[in-house]
Amino acid sequence: ILDRFLPYYFSKKGENLATKEDIGKITNEIEKVNNIFRDQYDLSKTEREFYEGMAKTIYKFLAVIKKHENEHGTASATKEVLLQNPELKDAFFEFIDTSNEFIGKSYIFLKEESYTNLKNALNTNTAFNELAKNLLYAMRKSLHPETTLEPNADNLKEFNY
């Protein structure tokens, strides 16, 4: 009996031990993949929250600019005009303050290329609608690095007043 029982017993014991080790290795690999996914998801979530807030700021400011230009003519909302009108001045300063805060947070939380794209988009001396397009494109480029979709009238359709 021992001749047949002991080899069978040790064989099964070895199989069970190997199975437990295999399960442990598989569990560790699954945890590694989950951690990688969680890290990437959290960063994307952070980026999306940043960009959602910035997009709201851009569109809020552009709405003020478009309203002014609708009433006073296209390209009438220059920086000088904005600074002379209290309502426009407040909207302009809110936009600048929010943009600066956004860039500061981007410096801390986003990838270097994303931060650089956003900073460069803000450091332009173009019309306000071009500034908005530059920022939107920088945000898109950060989320979709391979994008070739440029921010133009066809891609950013808007209702007119």
Side-chain angles (χ1 to χ4, degrees):
I1 291 182
L2 284 178
D3 285 349
R4 290 189 338 200
F5 176 71
L6 281 180
Y8 175 77
Y9 172 79
F10 286 118
S11 169
K12 277 297 187 188
K13 185 95 170 149
E15 283 178 28
N16 289 341
L17 183 59
T19 301
K20 285 181 183 178
E21 288 175 0
D22 291 343
I23 290 172
K25 288 178 185 176
I26 291 169
T27 301
N28 286 339
E29 290 301 313
I30 290 171
E31 282 300 313
K32 286 179 187 175
V33 169
N34 284 339
N35 287 337
I36 290 169
F37 177 76
R38 187 174 22 257
D39 290 345
Q40 290 177 348
Y41 173 76
D42 287 346
L43 182 57
S44 287
K45 182 180 175 189
T46 301
E47 284 181 308
R48 280 181 170 72
E49 288 172 357
F50 278 147
Y51 297 149
E52 187 176 289
M54 190 63 192
K56 285 180 183 178
T57 298
I58 291 169
Y59 282 116
K60 182 179 176 184
F61 180 62
L62 282 180
V64 171
I65 298 297
K66 286 179 183 181
K67 183 178 177 186
H68 176 81
E69 289 183 342
N70 188 47
E71 294 170 358
H72 298 92
T74 304
S76 62
T78 64
K79 184 177 179 180
E80 292 75 26
V81 169
L82 294 179
L83 295 176
Q84 291 174 3
N85 179 315
E87 181 184 331
L88 296 175
K89 181 179 178 180
D90 289 344
F92 176 69
F93 284 147
E94 181 182 350
F95 172 74
I96 295 299
D97 290 344
T98 304
S99 297
N100 287 336
E101 180 183 346
F102 178 74
I103 293 299
K105 288 179 180 179
S106 297
Y107 176 79
I108 296 167
F109 294 109
L110 301 183
K111 297 174 194 161
E112 188 172 333
E113 183 179 356
S114 298
Y115 164 73
T116 302
N117 287 339
L118 291 166
K119 184 181 73 160
N120 291 341
L122 273 176
N123 288 333
T124 58
N125 292 324
T126 61
F128 292 116
N129 62 344
E130 288 300 314
L131 173 65
K133 287 178 185 177
N134 291 344
L135 284 169
L136 292 171
Y137 185 68
M139 289 184 247
R140 179 170 177 75
K141 190 86 171 153
S142 178
L143 293 171
H144 308 285
E146 304 301 320
T147 190
T148 58
L149 190 61
E150 294 285 332
N152 57 39
D154 290 334
N155 297 329
L156 296 172
K157 288 284 187 199
E158 298 178 344
F159 293 107
N160 292 318
Y161 289 101

